[in-house]
Amino acid sequence: MKDMATTSYDIQAIMARLPHRYPLLMIDKVDESGPGYAVAVKNVSINEPYFQGHFPDYPIMPGALITEAALQASAFMGPTGDETGDAPDASNTRFFCVGFNMKFSGTVQPGDQLRIEVRLVKRMGQMTKVKARISTENGQVASGDMNLATAPKED
């Protein structure tokens, strides 16, 4: 979904915005970001530490980390035109997951590339509801709703 306000982010820009670092930085680039949506990419490599134990004979990416990738992608959604200007500025705000309801419909294995699509559903003060859809080249692997709370960063 490209429009005039679409922005993309490379890994350096992602690291400037998110506090996460290895091994929990779960997105490699943001292909699209605009009013109320973002599309991010995660390249899944056998070198990721969780594959040592999940599972050695059949490595699959844990659902919690797929969800974490979607949560990180949501930090790149731009404000929508119908908001009153109180959309959180991601550079001065911390985002916390306060709930999610994800359904998993496939596995993610080394060599896959996740396409993570997040869309703003509703903002209510410090609470944000987001809808996520995660897919690989083989189709959808997860979808669901995530609830985020925001708090200002403290110096």
Side-chain angles (χ1 to χ4, degrees):
M1 165 183 233
K2 292 228 180 213
D3 63 23
M4 296 270 224
T6 297
T7 305
S8 61
Y9 298 85
D10 64 11
I11 191 62
Q12 296 303 320
I14 290 169
M15 290 173 66
R17 179 171 261 185
L18 294 178
H20 306 79
R21 294 296 180 264
Y22 177 84
L24 286 177
L25 181 59
M26 301 305 295
I27 56 176
D28 295 315
K29 69 178 177 174
V30 176
D31 280 340
E32 301 176 40
S33 175
Y37 78 96
V39 178
V41 172
K42 163 71 176 154
N43 296 305
V44 182
S45 166
I46 190 64
N47 294 324
E48 309 219 29
Y50 50 83
F51 286 131
Q52 293 177 32
H54 200 265
F55 297 100
D57 295 336
Y58 185 69
I60 59 173
M61 186 175 184
L65 295 180
I66 295 169
T67 302
E68 177 63 26
L71 289 163
Q72 290 179 21
S74 68
F76 293 88
M77 295 184 308
T80 60
D82 61 351
E83 293 176 25
T84 60
D86 61 352
D89 172 7
S91 63
N92 295 319
T93 306
R94 292 190 195 280
F95 292 82
F96 298 95
C97 177
V98 294
F100 60 89
N101 181 13
M102 296 293 283
K103 295 184 178 161
F104 299 93
S105 53
T107 59
V108 176
Q109 299 176 310
D112 285 343
Q113 184 179 70
L114 294 182
R115 177 179 167 87
I116 305 151
E117 302 172 41
V118 291
R119 183 165 311 279
L120 174 68
V121 173
K122 189 176 193 179
R123 249 191 206 110
M124 306 148 287
Q126 294 182 325
M127 299 296 293
T128 302
K129 183 172 184 173
V130 175
K131 195 162 275 299
R133 181 181 184 278
I134 301 101
S135 58
T136 68
E137 52 278 358
N138 297 321
Q140 183 171 304
V141 294
S143 64
D145 299 316
M146 305 179 303
N147 296 315
L148 308 170
T150 59
K153 286 184 182 175
E154 297 174 11
D155 292 329

